[in-house]
């Protein structure tokens, strides 16, 4: 099952602005090595959201090569800081090199570790948290996001439609189930106002009410 009709995806790609050399290279590497980055359509959404909330402090869970972190950082106010967490050392190292090439080493700090282990060490308040870690951990991110976000802050999450698998009743894979739990929990949470955009693999935006 696909979330987007292929022709519409291609049409939207035709409207994308050109990316700079770093993002273009990371998109090519992700294609070649099957690295699951958000891609330019979701990257643009992240940049606009960071800009709209005047993001000064951003937390990203799931760095990979630093692609989404670079988009987010470019939407933040000058002097802002983004912390991004990556469990794999080789990826964290690669992300640090890419961030340096994007001239964002002063803005982006790549921390090596498991997100659920590092979250208790984080000091809020964040203006925006981007969640893109292993899907089984998604439900456990919600209480931390609520604790660490400022009122009006955003929890943005990738892959919430999981190639449409969340809507397939026959799919009981643990990652699919965890994403369903995540989406339902946020939908029922009175402290959070959530919308799901069916862009690419599904992106949710949850605003912390108070
Ligand atoms: C989907 S990729 C992130 C893509 C990145 N956000 C982007 O779009 O450019 C997920 C990354 O998070 C890391 N990861 C997965 N589960 C994690 C966890 N529980 N804690 C920290 N990192 C994790 C993986 O090693 C992988 O590099």
């Amino acid at each position: 099952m696909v979330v987007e009709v292929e022709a519409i995806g291609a049409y939207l790609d035709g409207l994308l602005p050109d990316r700079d050399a770093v993002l273009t290279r990371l998109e090519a590497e992700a294609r070649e090595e099957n690295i699951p980055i958000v891609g330019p359509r979701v990257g643009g959404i992240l940049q606009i959201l960071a800009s709209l909330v005047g993001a000064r402090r951003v937390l990203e869970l799931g760095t990979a090569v630093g692609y989404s972190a670079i988009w987010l950082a470019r939407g933040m106010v000058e002097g802002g800081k983004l912390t991004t967490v990556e469990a794999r050392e080789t990826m964290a190292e690669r992300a640090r090199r890419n961030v340096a090439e994007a001239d964002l080493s002063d803005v982006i700090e790549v921390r090596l570790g498991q997100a659920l282990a590092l979250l208790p060490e984080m000091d809020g308040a964040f203006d925006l948290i981007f969640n893109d870690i292993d899907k089984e951990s998604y439900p456990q991110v919600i209480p931390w996001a609520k604790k660490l976000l400022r009122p009006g802050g955003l929890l943005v999450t990738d892959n919430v439609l999981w190639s449409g698998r969340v809507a397939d009743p026959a799919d009981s894979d643990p990652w699919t189930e965890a994403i369903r739990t995540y989406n339902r929990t946020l939908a029922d949470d009175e402290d959070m106002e959530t919308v799901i955009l069916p862009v690419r693999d599904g992106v949710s935006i949850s605003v912390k009410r108070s």
Side-chain angles (χ1 to χ4, degrees), residues 198-210:
V199 178
R200 206 186 66 98
D201 199 25
V203 177
S204 68
I205 304 170
S206 307
V207 186
K208 178 174 161 178
R209 285 203 170 101
S210 57

Side-chain angles (χ1 to χ4, degrees), residues 34 65 72 81 89 96 106 122 126 129 135 138 193-194 202 205:
N34 275 326
V65 290
L72 280 163
K81 295 281 179 210
E89 194 162 5
R96 286 189 190 109
D106 290 347
M122 300 285 172
F126 290 97
I129 296 176
K135 309 313 157 193
Y138 270 21
E193 191 167 351
T194 298
I205 304 170

Side-chain angles (χ1 to χ4, degrees), residues 36-38 62-64 67-68 86-88 113-115 130 132-134:
I37 61 168
V38 291
T63 317
Y67 180 83
S68 51
E86 170 57 50
R88 290 166 59 194
Q114 286 289 336
F130 178 48
D132 197 13
I133 53 171
D134 70 276

Side-chain angles (χ1 to χ4, degrees), residues 131 138 142 145-146 155 157 160 180-194 204-206 209:
N131 180 18
Y138 270 21
I142 296 173
K146 288 176 67 174
L155 169 62
T157 308
V160 296
R180 284 192 192 114
T181 301
Y182 187 78
N183 291 339
R184 173 48 58 197
T185 305
L186 283 172
D188 291 345
D189 191 326
E190 291 185 357
D191 300 331
M192 305 290 272
E193 191 167 351
T194 298
S204 68
I205 304 170
S206 307
R209 285 203 170 101

